Amino acid sequence: MRRVYADYNATTPLNPAVLEAMLPYLGQKFGNASSIHIFGRDARAAIDDARVRIAKLLGAQEGEIIFTGSGTEADNNAIFGIRPGHIITSSIEHHAVLHACQQRPDVTYLPVSGDCLVDPADLRKAIRKDTVLVSIMWANNETGTIQPISELAAVCREHGIPFHTDAVQAFGKLPVTVADVDLLTLSAHKFYGPKGVGVLYVRRGMKLTPLLYGGSHESDRRAGTENVAGIVGLAKAAELPAVDFVELTEKLAAGIVEAIPGAHRNGHPRQRVSNTVNFSFDGCRFEGLLLGLDLEGVAVSSGSACAVGSLEPSHVLLAMGVSRERARAAVRFSFGAGTTLADVDYILSVLPRVIHRLRTLS
Ligand code: PLP
């Protein structure tokens, strides 16, 4: 059976050049970057080099880059590392931000429009004298919708409030720099790098308390022996050229609309990362859709992979005003480096059958 992986927003395969760059650090260059001898110095040099390259790509300075153990950790550090006070975020954030915010005592969750956009005017209204952080994601992982980051950041700047963005789903798909933001999160496994390594950019002069205490790694900002191979892989992956998938995703979307009645597209149709489309299918449930497509060899997701196992409808779609029923019938298709036109044709050849079967059963 043909196998089509259309879940690149959940994770991406390691790019072969990235693996090659990492291999020495999983083998003979195994040193601890804190050691003074040559093994340690080799590891330290590799981390320093990776930091310079990431900083350059983001338009940052080396000292502003902290390597973390994941995107989740970077998000948590931004949210828990800021001083006590009021936080503003959006209702469509990834759980790495949302669940962290739920642990803070005073948080405002901004609404989004029907097409998944945060309105800068809503942000302006929510700002208070004691607001200490605003955290709004760059691109949404479920719908792909791109937020007006520059405008949102400008509102924060006007009020002197630090602005964090979770750029996990934007980096590698869009030009991402730190020009407008004070804090920014990346995760390597979303752009063909290894799992278990991320970045938190922290603008110079910002005071942020560490999440982890121990050794003096990462200039006392993130304790723990560095994942040298992971960091090397992250830097290599970050330099891969972005690929545009708009033609493939638009072909999929047009094919779905043409062949399947009762299909509803979720998220902004144009202001989106080019690899992501999200549809709800009347009369279906996502568990049936995912299973039915899996049986046909097509791997998709209902939204955030981190919410898998939960039969709750997507909080993102609910925040957009999508009904519970429609939110429970949503599938996210996310394309990546291996996706071909033949894959899109294959999805379009099996999807109507899967949906017909589900509708007849219900
Ligand atoms: N933020 C967003 C938008 C994500 O999509 C993800 C992963 O799905 C994360 C954060 C978490 O990153 P990590 O898997 O590195 O912990």
Side-chain angles (χ1 to χ4, degrees):
M1 194 204 325
R2 193 186 176 93
R3 280 193 182 279
V4 175
Y5 183 76
D7 203 12
Y8 284 83
N9 285 8
T11 196
T12 58
L14 206 58
N15 177 282
V18 173
L19 176 61
E20 203 180 314
M22 291 172 68
L23 279 176
Y25 299 94
L26 295 166
Q28 77 276 21
K29 295 189 177 192
F30 60 88
N32 183 325
S34 299
S35 301
I36 290 173
H37 48 63
I38 182 67
F39 291 87
R41 291 204 307 275
D42 274 352
R44 171 62 53 210
I47 295 175
D48 289 348
D49 176 61
R51 199 185 309 279
V52 169
R53 285 154 62 195
I54 284 288
K56 188 165 173 227
L57 283 170
L58 290 175
Q61 297 169 21
E62 293 156 52
E64 295 175 317
I65 303 295
I66 303 177
F67 291 116
T68 65
S70 62
T72 300
E73 184 193 319
D75 282 343
N76 273 254
N77 198 354
I79 289 153
F80 292 115
I82 210 85
R83 66 193 165 92
H86 173 238
I87 290 183
I88 300 173
T89 189
S90 82
S91 43
I92 55 149
E93 297 298 309
H94 187 272
H95 286 137
V97 167
L98 223 42
H99 287 170
C101 281
Q102 282 166 13
Q103 301 303 315
R104 295 269 317 209
D106 191 5
V107 181
T108 298
Y109 299 90
L110 297 179
V112 290
S113 64
D115 45 17
C116 201
L117 285 169
V118 175
D119 185 341
D122 287 335
L123 170 60
R124 193 180 290 281
K125 274 187 250 154
I127 286 176
R128 306 191 321 217
K129 278 203 171 63
D130 62 343
T131 303
V132 291
L133 180 74
V134 173
S135 177
I136 309 233
M137 70 196 323
W138 199 307
N140 182 264
N141 45 302
E142 296 189 27
T143 62
T145 305
I146 300 167
Q147 298 304 327
I149 289 300
S150 296
E151 287 98 309
L152 294 165
V155 174
C156 292
R157 217 167 22 249
E158 243 177 70
H159 291 81
I161 298 165
F163 181 69
H164 167 247
T165 186
D166 174 339
V168 166
Q169 294 289 348
F171 190 83
K173 299 170 183 154
L174 302 170
V176 167
T177 76
V178 297
D180 292 324
V181 307
D182 302 295
L183 295 154
L184 176 138
T185 296
L186 302 181
S187 172
H189 77 100
K190 306 292 185 177
F191 50 88
Y192 309 95
K195 294 170 182 62
V197 58
V199 164
L200 179 62
Y201 158 81
V202 184
R203 183 175 293 285
R204 196 156 68 154
M206 263 212 68
K207 215 172 133 30
L208 204 68
T209 308
L211 209 54
L212 303 177
Y213 292 89
S216 58
H217 312 90
E218 297 297 290
S219 309
D220 286 322
R221 293 174 301 176
R222 196 274 181 184
T225 301
E226 297 90 340
N227 172 4
V228 185
I231 290 168
V232 167
L234 181 145
K236 182 76 183 170
E239 290 167 351
L240 296 171
V243 179
D244 190 79
F245 293 99
V246 79
E247 218 173 288
L248 292 185
T249 45
E250 281 310 320
K251 182 173 162 62
L252 177 70
I256 287 175
V257 170
E258 192 186 315
I260 305 170
H264 310 275
R265 191 163 175 178
N266 300 312
H268 200 288
R270 289 172 308 284
Q271 200 167 316
R272 64 175 178 95
V273 286
S274 74
N275 79 319
T276 309
V277 261
N278 188 310
F279 267 95
S280 291
F281 300 100
D282 288 349
C284 299
R285 292 277 182 109
F286 61 71
E287 38 306 8
L289 287 162
L290 302 200
L291 211 64
L293 282 168
D294 190 37
L295 288 172
E296 300 282 358
V298 178
V300 293
S301 166
S302 59
S304 167
C306 309
V308 162
S310 142
L311 294 182
E312 281 301 300
S314 146
H315 68 280
V316 174
L317 298 182
L318 293 181
M320 288 159 56
V322 171
S323 70
R324 284 185 83 77
E325 199 180 339
R326 204 172 270 184
R328 291 210 54 181
V331 174
R332 174 187 73 188
F333 301 88
S334 52
F335 292 166
T339 314
T340 62
L341 199 56
D343 289 335
V344 177
D345 287 339
Y346 182 69
I347 297 173
L348 287 171
S349 74
V350 298
L351 189 58
R353 183 163 71 231
V354 169
I355 287 170
H356 179 72
R357 214 180 293 140
L358 290 171
R359 284 178 176 165
T360 346
L361 283 174
S362 67

